[in-house]
Amino acid sequence: MYKVQICGVNTAKLPVLDNREKEELLIRAKEGDAKARDKIIRCNLRLVLSVVQRFIQNGEDPDDLFQIGCIGLIKALDNFDISLNVKFSTYAVPMIMGEIRRFLRDNGQIRVSRSLRDTAYKAIYARERLAKEKQKEPTIGEIAAEIGIDKKDIVFALDAIQSPVSLFEPVYSNGKDTLYVMDQISDNKSTEEKWINNIALREAVSRLPEREREIIRLRFFDGKTQMEVAEMVNISQAQVSRLEKSALRSMRKYFE
């Protein structure tokens, strides 16, 4: 059950080398030995897989991520300096992760202009560089000064490359009731005045049991989240969710 088949490669059957063998292969590969190069790549495919597993939750195809990770592995091999006292795996992991991250940024669900992506990447690289130098997270102002770009432009660019989240993305489930992103969003635009102006809607609300009517008022008149409503009426969030759904079903039947 531990065998993993990905991109036609059974990673359970990949060669496992000791440190001495790896060092010898690296030297030969750097000297131009094609067979040694191929073998050092194959014996490090498990390393690629371990990195890919960190990104599986993004919803991307694992095969695609694995192939992109292999490109990062090859780049790491091409740029690795065997004269340094550093393990190849230590050097390769950031290269593999960087290649996958670039792929995810450039292939997001929302298309972002090249100029915005370039600004965002400059800001990200500057942040990483400043964090290493100062041993603390840099501010937007420090990043802006480092790369010579206005703070507003940096914030806009970083927001643009973020992956969108569906309102129906589940954030919690107790086995019966699921809490979605939309349940955690307050609606400050929905006011009681707008609802009361609609007589039919007001009548539908008035027909609800007292507790359901109170939950509907807090959720849609006052723009409270389910967690906030649960605290105010002293019941669990799961109960709020059930009562809210029941109230909405009753209101729909009234309009039908």
Side-chain angles (χ1 to χ4, degrees):
M1 67 179 180
Y2 296 106
K3 292 182 179 180
V4 178
Q5 187 81 15
I6 187 166
C7 290
V9 176
N10 187 339
T11 56
K13 294 183 178 180
L14 292 173
V16 178
L17 307 177
D18 58 33
N19 291 332
R20 183 184 57 80
E21 290 174 313
K22 289 178 182 178
E23 290 176 4
E24 291 177 355
L25 282 174
L26 281 169
I27 293 172
R28 287 165 50 195
K30 284 295 183 179
E31 291 175 346
D33 188 327
K35 290 184 178 179
R37 175 185 172 83
D38 180 67
K39 191 170 183 179
I40 199 68
I41 290 172
R42 288 187 60 81
C43 76
N44 278 284
L45 290 181
R46 281 199 185 94
L47 183 65
V48 175
L49 183 63
S50 68
V51 175
V52 166
Q53 289 172 343
R54 305 181 190 184
F55 295 90
I56 294 298
Q57 297 304 319
N58 288 358
E60 296 288 338
D61 188 291
D63 284 347
D64 290 343
L65 295 182
F66 185 76
Q67 292 180 58
I68 298 300
C70 288
I71 293 174
L73 174 64
I74 293 170
K75 287 183 177 181
L77 179 58
D78 290 341
N79 292 283
F80 184 64
D81 187 347
I82 58 176
S83 66
L84 299 177
N85 189 25
V86 178
K87 285 186 177 180
F88 175 69
S89 58
T90 302
Y91 178 79
V93 167
M95 295 283 285
I96 297 168
M97 292 181 70
E99 200 68 28
I100 293 174
R101 283 181 176 138
R102 277 190 289 275
F103 169 77
L104 293 175
R105 290 168 190 161
D106 291 342
N107 292 273
Q109 296 177 11
I110 296 178
R111 294 299 175 190
V112 180
S113 70
R114 170 60 64 181
S115 61
L116 273 178
R117 284 204 302 269
D118 288 344
T119 298
Y121 298 160
K122 287 179 182 177
I124 291 169
Y125 297 145
R127 183 192 65 79
E128 293 175 353
R129 186 168 59 253
L130 290 171
K132 288 180 180 179
E133 291 175 359
K134 300 186 177 183
Q135 296 298 307
K136 67 175 185 178
E137 188 70 19
T139 65
I140 291 294
E142 290 172 332
I143 295 173
E146 178 73 12
I147 61 178
I149 297 176
D150 188 83
K151 289 190 293 185
K152 292 181 180 179
D153 292 336
I154 292 175
V155 172
F156 184 75
L158 291 174
D159 285 342
I161 64 171
Q162 295 299 314
S163 298
V165 177
S166 170
L167 289 175
F168 296 96
E169 182 79 17
V171 296
Y172 170 79
S173 176
N174 62 2
K176 295 181 180 179
D177 295 287
T178 302
L179 180 65
Y180 298 95
V181 170
M182 65 180 300
D183 297 325
Q184 298 299 97
I185 299 176
S186 299
D187 183 6
N188 296 321
K189 294 183 180 179
S190 294
T191 63
E192 187 172 1
E193 182 179 355
K194 291 180 181 178
W195 283 70
I196 293 177
N197 287 338
N198 188 318
I199 298 175
L201 186 57
R202 182 177 60 183
E203 180 65 20
V205 173
S206 68
R207 290 170 177 265
L208 297 173
E210 183 178 354
R211 175 166 281 186
E212 291 184 9
R213 188 164 61 247
E214 177 69 4
I215 289 173
I216 292 296
R217 183 185 69 79
L218 291 171
R219 283 282 286 135
F220 300 102
F221 291 2
D222 297 343
K224 303 294 184 182
T225 67
Q226 287 188 351
M227 292 298 293
E228 290 172 333
V229 173
E231 292 179 4
M232 295 177 72
V233 300
N234 198 30
I235 59 176
S236 70
Q237 181 275 323
Q239 289 176 297
V240 170
S241 178
R242 283 197 294 271
L243 290 170
E244 179 185 317
K245 290 173 182 175
S246 174
L248 292 175
R249 281 197 299 268
S250 299
M251 292 170 66
R252 289 192 192 99
K253 289 181 180 178
Y254 174 79
F255 283 112
E256 291 172 358

